[in-house]
Amino acid sequence: MKKYINLFILCSFLAFTSCDERFEELNTDPNRPGADVFDPNLILPVATYGYGDMLTGYSGPILFQSMWIQALASTSTGGANYYSNADKYVISGSTNSYIQGVWNNGYTVASRLNQMQSLAETKGFTNLVAVGEIFKVSTLSFVSDVYGDIPYSEGLQAEEGITQPKFDNQAEAYQNMLTDLETALNALNPAADPIRNDVIYGGDLAKWRKFGYSVMLKMALRLVKVDPAAAQTWVQKAVAGGVFESPDDDALVPSDQPNGYANTNANALNVVDDIYEVRWSKEMIDYLKSTNDPRLPIIAEVPPAGLAANRDGTVVGNNDPAVQIGLPNGYDLTGGQFDISNHPDFPGPTGSGGNVATIGAYSRPTAIYRDREAPVFALTYAEVQLLLADAAVRGLASGSASEYYNNGVEGAFASIGKFGGGSVSAADVMAYLDANPLDQSTEEAALEMINEQYWATTSILANYVEAWNNWKRTGYPELTPVNFPGNFSSGQIPRSQPFPAGESSVNQESLVSAISRMGGDDWITRTWWDGGN
């Protein structure tokens, strides 16, 4: 990805130092070219990496949603031990910084895309404008899903003099975003400008079209509890437009560790304390074992005995499904009431002498999650097919819910191989589907099975915010919240992130209006579409 930036700098230098004797041009900074020279396509890979960064790591998702949704668990407790935010809903030393990660990253990405579009318009790059809009809607809808009301209709207009934009209520923002998304999709034209420097789809407009309609489908289903008619309208538009058709359509943000663009989830999980204290949750391991899920040995391992092996991510553990044990959420290693050793199923410490791992033989993520070159899974065919299964069960889309479900499972098992680790064989896929057909005895039984699979799939692909959003929407899986002393959410699983503190100093009036409209600014304030449970 860095090569595109370096290429831009080189080309700009050559353009501005050609044989021209005019003083003004000779004294123009070659690294700050004007719009007449700059190719706006060069902004796309930088914005793309920023988008992936928003979905991962210390921007917030691995420190909040990964454990709110009980995919992962950690024994960390309070103070500067940052996973207490996630596992126990307890403030850590940097909580305020983590709160603003998605907001700042999201608006940085959107601002870059907005600038790309402005430059593209001056050059008649209509397809780049449209792709920018598709990407921008995906970005800002993500921000809105985390916080609620956001600046949208007046956002990103500082150059036009709007430096304190109003916060649109989420209902209006969603409607405007969906409309803008549809307009952008209609504007894509294979005969117009090619998309260059595209690190997701290599400039393939057909894939961008499918991505846009798949985003539309996901956004449409957010509305099922608050505006079923609108949900159905937008679901049908998405299906008619054409959503993902195979795992080849997966939207993956590539990583480039040698050039400084690492997978930020992997950055986090390579920290020694994270290697030791971050484990798969009991909820996740029990779910995968209950269905003999073939992904289990790919994603989970029990480290060898002893503290040294438990703190070393290069040591390969035991991936036998039979020995995997999930760590219950809400426990620590402090020796008190909540010490993990007090849990009735505690497997006991491992090692001996001065090399004892008191955490016990719980399953940790395998090396694929510590690979800084691993892609970020932004949106997958598996998710889209499971969403279509949900829509079919609710009567919002035609087609067989069972077929969509099977497609989703097959897609999930195919996509796990893109991490760079193990893969699931065709025989194992068929065996799993034969043993776990979609339960259609009742609508609720079907929705539960579909959305539990969605939770597992998005969590396994490290898209924790999406797992959390879908849990808020559907109530599945049914999770028991942690009620650790001193928690910030009254013993409830958080439903949103508070607005960044900085907004009160730069846009106070609009922020206050949004907080009043939403009914609060805390961890359990529900966003407009959140009616799942």
Side-chain angles (χ1 to χ4, degrees):
M1 203 171 304
K2 192 173 182 180
K3 66 182 180 182
Y4 294 115
I5 303 171
N6 293 337
L7 177 62
F8 150 64
I9 294 173
L10 175 62
C11 292
S12 300
F13 180 81
L14 293 174
F16 275 92
T17 58
S18 59
C19 298
D20 190 326
E21 297 180 354
R22 287 179 295 172
F23 179 84
E24 181 180 355
E25 292 194 13
L26 286 173
N27 285 274
T28 299
D29 183 349
N31 293 327
R32 298 177 64 86
D36 57 328
V37 173
F38 189 87
D39 181 357
N41 282 277
L42 290 167
I43 297 176
L44 188 56
V46 180
T48 301
Y49 178 77
Y51 182 84
D53 193 36
M54 178 182 69
L55 305 182
T56 54
Y58 291 161
S59 292
I62 204 167
L63 300 171
F64 291 143
Q65 287 85 0
S66 72
M67 298 175 195
W68 293 351
I69 202 64
Q70 296 179 16
L72 299 175
S74 174
T75 49
S76 67
T77 307
N81 211 335
Y82 35 86
Y83 284 104
S84 60
N85 299 279
D87 187 75
K88 301 166 184 65
Y89 333 142
V90 173
I91 293 289
S92 75
S94 298
T95 300
N96 286 336
S97 174
Y98 305 147
I99 285 172
Q100 63 188 353
V102 166
W103 185 277
N104 290 347
N105 283 4
Y107 275 102
T108 296
V109 171
S111 179
R112 284 177 171 151
L113 292 169
N114 201 57
Q115 186 64 34
M116 181 185 78
Q117 290 176 287
S118 296
L119 292 169
E121 286 174 351
T122 67
K123 297 177 180 295
F125 292 173
T126 57
N127 281 329
L128 188 59
V129 172
V131 165
E133 193 68 18
I134 293 166
F135 217 166
K136 193 163 66 179
V137 168
S138 184
T139 300
L140 292 180
S141 64
F142 184 94
V143 175
S144 179
D145 289 342
V146 170
Y147 298 95
D149 294 6
I150 63 167
Y152 184 73
S153 61
E154 291 184 359
L156 309 175
Q157 297 186 49
E159 291 185 358
E160 289 78 16
I162 302 177
T163 57
Q164 294 180 314
K166 72 172 184 178
F167 281 58
D168 297 319
N169 71 60
Q170 194 179 44
E172 292 176 353
Y174 247 69
Q175 179 59 48
N176 289 337
M177 284 189 280
L178 284 164
T179 299
D180 290 345
L181 180 59
E182 182 179 33
T183 300
L185 286 163
N186 289 336
L188 290 174
N189 179 6
D193 58 294
I195 304 299
R196 297 186 295 275
N197 302 334
D198 174 10
V199 296
I200 295 182
Y201 289 131
D204 189 332
L205 287 180
K207 288 188 179 294
W208 274 107
R209 186 184 301 278
K210 285 187 279 189
F211 173 77
Y213 280 114
S214 297
V215 170
M216 182 183 292
L217 174 68
K218 181 175 68 174
M219 292 178 65
L221 282 171
R222 297 276 200 262
L223 313 182
V224 291
K225 297 291 179 66
V226 291
D227 194 342
Q232 182 167 26
T233 295
W234 288 107
V235 164
Q236 292 178 353
K237 286 185 178 184
V239 172
V243 295
F244 288 169
E245 298 177 313
S246 80
D248 290 340
D249 296 325
D250 288 354
L252 306 182
V253 178
S255 298
D256 185 9
Q257 160 67 9
N259 289 309
Y261 296 94
N263 181 303
T264 55
N265 272 338
N267 280 346
L269 294 177
N270 272 288
V271 175
V272 172
D273 287 344
D274 297 35
I275 293 169
Y276 182 58
E277 293 201 57
V278 175
R279 304 295 171 108
W280 288 110
S281 72
K282 175 177 171 58
E283 191 78 22
M284 177 61 73
I285 296 298
D286 286 356
Y287 172 80
L288 297 177
K289 292 181 77 170
S290 71
T291 58
N292 293 316
D293 195 304
R295 291 172 292 186
L296 183 55
I298 299 172
I299 71 165
E301 64 181 14
V302 175
L307 181 62
N310 273 261
R311 291 169 64 84
D312 187 345
T314 66
V315 174
V316 178
N318 185 350
N319 69 344
D320 181 351
V323 305
Q324 304 308 317
I325 306 173
L327 175 67
N329 291 93
Y331 288 85
D332 60 25
L333 292 172
T334 62
Q337 176 186 357
F338 294 93
D339 193 280
I340 188 58
S341 64
N342 293 321
H343 192 277
D345 297 327
F346 179 58
T350 69
S352 60
N355 184 32
V356 175
T358 57
I359 196 172
Y362 289 109
S363 302
R364 72 182 181 190
T366 56
I368 62 175
Y369 295 95
R370 294 186 291 276
D371 181 4
R372 290 185 170 95
E373 286 280 287
V376 174
F377 292 78
L379 184 61
T380 64
Y381 167 75
E383 294 170 61
V384 168
Q385 291 298 303
L386 292 170
L387 290 172
L388 287 172
D390 181 298
V393 169
R394 298 178 192 273
L396 303 179
S398 59
S400 165
S402 179
E403 183 176 347
Y404 288 136
Y405 177 79
N406 289 350
N407 290 342
V409 170
E410 291 182 35
F413 290 179
S415 292
I416 189 64
K418 298 180 183 183
F419 257 123
S423 58
V424 179
S425 70
D428 284 344
V429 173
M430 295 311 299
Y432 181 89
L433 290 174
D434 287 343
N436 301 281
L438 180 62
D439 181 357
Q440 299 188 76
S441 58
T442 66
E443 180 176 314
E444 281 307 309
L447 289 175
E448 180 176 17
M449 193 168 180
I450 291 164
N451 288 292
E452 284 181 346
Q453 182 62 240
Y454 193 92
W455 163 79
T457 294
T458 49
S459 296
I460 286 170
L461 296 178
N463 194 346
Y464 307 116
V465 175
E466 182 56 28
W468 174 64
N469 281 328
N470 200 63
W471 169 78
K472 291 189 295 181
R473 177 181 74 89
T474 66
Y476 296 119
E478 295 182 6
L479 302 173
T480 301
V482 168
N483 195 2
F484 200 83
N487 70 81
F488 51 59
S489 60
S490 303
Q492 302 177 51
I493 296 174
R495 315 291 298 208
S496 63
Q497 289 177 205
F499 291 108
E503 284 299 298
S504 63
S505 61
V506 298
N507 197 10
Q508 184 176 23
E509 184 176 346
S510 296
L511 176 63
V512 169
S513 177
I515 292 171
S516 175
R517 185 168 53 242
M518 290 178 61
D521 181 29
D522 56 32
W523 303 89
I524 56 177
T525 298
R526 296 194 179 213
T527 60
W528 165 68
W529 58 255
D530 176 6
N533 52 345

Coordinates of all heavy atoms in Angstrom, one line a residue, residues 88-91 483-489:
K88 N -15.1 -6.9 31.5 CA -15.8 -6.7 32.8 C -16.6 -5.3 32.8 O -17.2 -5.0 33.8 CB -14.8 -6.7 34.0 CG -14.2 -8.1 34.1 CD -13.0 -8.1 35.0 CE -12.3 -9.4 34.9 NZ -11.7 -9.7 33.6
Y89 N -16.5 -4.6 31.7 CA -17.1 -3.3 31.6 C -16.6 -2.4 32.7 O -17.4 -1.6 33.3 CB -18.7 -3.3 31.6 CG -19.3 -4.6 31.1 CD1 -20.4 -5.1 31.8 CD2 -18.8 -5.3 30.0 CE1 -21.1 -6.2 31.3 CE2 -19.4 -6.5 29.6 CZ -20.6 -6.9 30.2 OH -21.2 -8.1 29.8
V90 N -15.3 -2.4 32.9 CA -14.7 -1.6 34.0 C -13.7 -0.6 33.3 O -12.9 -1.1 32.5 CB -14.0 -2.5 35.0 CG1 -13.2 -1.7 36.0 CG2 -15.0 -3.3 35.8
I91 N -13.7 0.6 33.8 CA -12.8 1.6 33.2 C -11.3 1.2 33.4 O -10.9 0.7 34.4 CB -13.1 3.0 33.9 CG1 -14.5 3.5 33.6 CG2 -12.0 4.0 33.6 CD1 -14.6 4.0 32.2
N483 N -21.4 -8.8 35.7 CA -21.7 -7.8 36.7 C -20.6 -7.6 37.7 O -20.7 -8.0 38.9 CB -23.0 -8.0 37.4 CG -23.6 -6.8 38.2 OD1 -23.0 -5.7 38.1 ND2 -24.7 -7.0 38.9
F484 N -19.5 -7.1 37.2 CA -18.2 -7.0 37.9 C -18.3 -5.7 38.8 O -18.8 -4.7 38.3 CB -17.0 -7.0 37.0 CG -15.7 -7.3 37.7 CD1 -15.3 -8.6 37.8 CD2 -14.9 -6.3 38.1 CE1 -14.1 -9.0 38.4 CE2 -13.7 -6.6 38.7 CZ -13.3 -7.9 38.9
P485 N -17.7 -5.7 40.0 CA -17.8 -4.5 40.8 C -17.2 -3.3 40.1 O -16.1 -3.4 39.4 CB -16.9 -4.9 42.0 CG -17.0 -6.4 42.1 CD -17.1 -6.9 40.7
G486 N -17.9 -2.2 40.2 CA -17.4 -0.9 39.6 C -17.6 -0.8 38.1 O -17.0 0.1 37.5
N487 N -18.4 -1.6 37.5 CA -18.6 -1.6 36.1 C -19.3 -0.3 35.7 O -20.1 0.3 36.5 CB -19.3 -2.8 35.6 CG -20.8 -2.9 35.9 OD1 -21.6 -2.3 35.3 ND2 -21.1 -3.7 37.0
F488 N -19.2 0.1 34.4 CA -19.7 1.4 33.9 C -21.0 1.3 33.2 O -21.5 2.2 32.7 CB -18.7 2.1 33.0 CG -18.1 1.3 31.9 CD1 -18.9 0.7 30.9 CD2 -16.8 1.1 31.8 CE1 -18.4 -0.1 29.9 CE2 -16.2 0.4 30.7 CZ -17.0 -0.2 29.8
S489 N -21.7 0.1 33.2 CA -22.9 -0.1 32.5 C -24.0 -0.8 33.3 O -24.9 -1.4 32.8 CB -22.6 -1.0 31.3 OG -22.1 -2.3 31.6

